[in-house]
């Protein structure tokens, strides 16, 4: 993808070593988080299976994919699939809520019967939180770099002596 070119550019002679290492780390993370193409087909199969299961209880039920899988903005191969069960108006009410509660209980029992799946789900949630933190840190670093570039451009970009440099005022050299 595009990151490879960016990493190659940053690794050229004369590039700032810290910036090049940071850019390379971000690129490696971005490449690692790219979901495989076969997940699209898998998601549709999961949706169809869930819809068939729901139709055993609610004849006119439909299931739709939403969230990152639906928009194509998922992160990594371990990303989950968000599904929405759509029940027609005539099947709503107490009867539908009771059936949903029963389905919830069955899902909880399945999680108990398959602790490895529950562990993987927990690991995924942790990875997603960490990814959000990395994205937030990256955004903050980009904003800081933009402010520094603006400040340097405003100051003329050069310094005649060390006392006038940003490092002398608490900023990076």
């Amino acid at each position: 993808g595009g990151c490879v070119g960016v990493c190659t550019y940053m690794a050229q002679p004369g590039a700032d070593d810290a910036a090049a290492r940071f850019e390379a780390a971000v690129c490696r993370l971005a490449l690692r988080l790219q979901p495989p193409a076969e997940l699209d087909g898998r998601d549709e199969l999961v949706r169809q299976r869930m819809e068939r299961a729901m139709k055993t209880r609610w004849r006119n039920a439909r299931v739709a994919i939403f969230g990152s899988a639906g928009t194509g903005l998922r992160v990594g191969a371990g990303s989950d699939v968000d599904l929405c069960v759509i029940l027609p108006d005539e099947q709503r009410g107490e009867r539908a809520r009771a059936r949903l509660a029963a389905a919830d209980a069955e899902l909880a029992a399945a999680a108990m019967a398959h602790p490895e799946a529950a562990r993987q789900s927990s690991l995924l949630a942790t990875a997603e939180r960490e990814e959000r933190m990395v994205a937030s840190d990256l955004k903050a670093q980009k904003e800081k770099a933009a402010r520094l570039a603006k400040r340097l451009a405003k100051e003329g970009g050069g310094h005649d002596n060390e006392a006038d440099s940003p490092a002398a005022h608490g900023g990076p050299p």
Side-chain angles (χ1 to χ4, degrees):
C3 255
V4 174
V6 172
C7 292
T8 302
Y9 171 77
M10 290 302 292
Q12 291 179 357
D16 178 282
D17 286 341
R21 285 192 310 274
F22 177 74
E23 188 73 28
V26 169
C27 289
R28 284 191 305 275
L29 176 65
L31 291 171
R32 191 182 72 200
L33 295 176
Q34 292 293 319
E38 63 269 10
L39 287 185
D40 290 335
R42 181 209 65 181
D43 294 348
E44 179 57 21
L45 287 174
V46 168
R47 187 203 65 76
Q48 290 173 1
R49 290 174 87 184
M50 179 62 78
E51 189 169 271
R52 278 195 307 274
M54 290 291 112
K55 285 181 182 243
T56 63
R57 291 180 183 232
W58 298 285
R59 185 173 46 96
N60 296 321
R62 292 182 310 147
V63 175
I65 298 173
F66 72 101
S68 61
T71 62
L73 297 174
R74 77 176 59 205
V75 178
S79 185
D80 67 348
V81 179
D82 298 308
L83 299 173
C84 175
V85 177
I86 304 161
L87 301 174
D89 285 338
E90 70 270 9
Q91 294 179 342
R92 293 186 188 185
E94 286 303 314
R95 188 170 158 216
R97 280 191 278 284
R99 287 183 175 166
L100 285 173
D104 241 0
E106 288 175 24
L107 286 174
M112 295 290 286
H114 302 284
E116 180 59 20
R119 186 182 78 76
Q120 291 293 329
S121 178
S122 175
L123 289 173
L124 175 61
T126 299
E128 289 171 341
R129 279 191 304 275
E130 290 174 355
E131 187 274 332
R132 284 190 299 272
M133 288 175 23
V134 167
S136 177
D137 289 346
L138 179 59
K139 181 181 176 186
Q141 288 296 325
K142 285 182 176 181
E143 290 170 354
K144 186 176 180 180
R147 285 192 307 270
L148 178 60
K150 188 175 181 178
R151 187 170 117 205
L152 288 174
K154 191 177 188 179
E155 294 177 359
H159 303 285
D160 293 327
N161 62 52
E162 287 187 26
D164 290 337
S165 75
H169 301 286

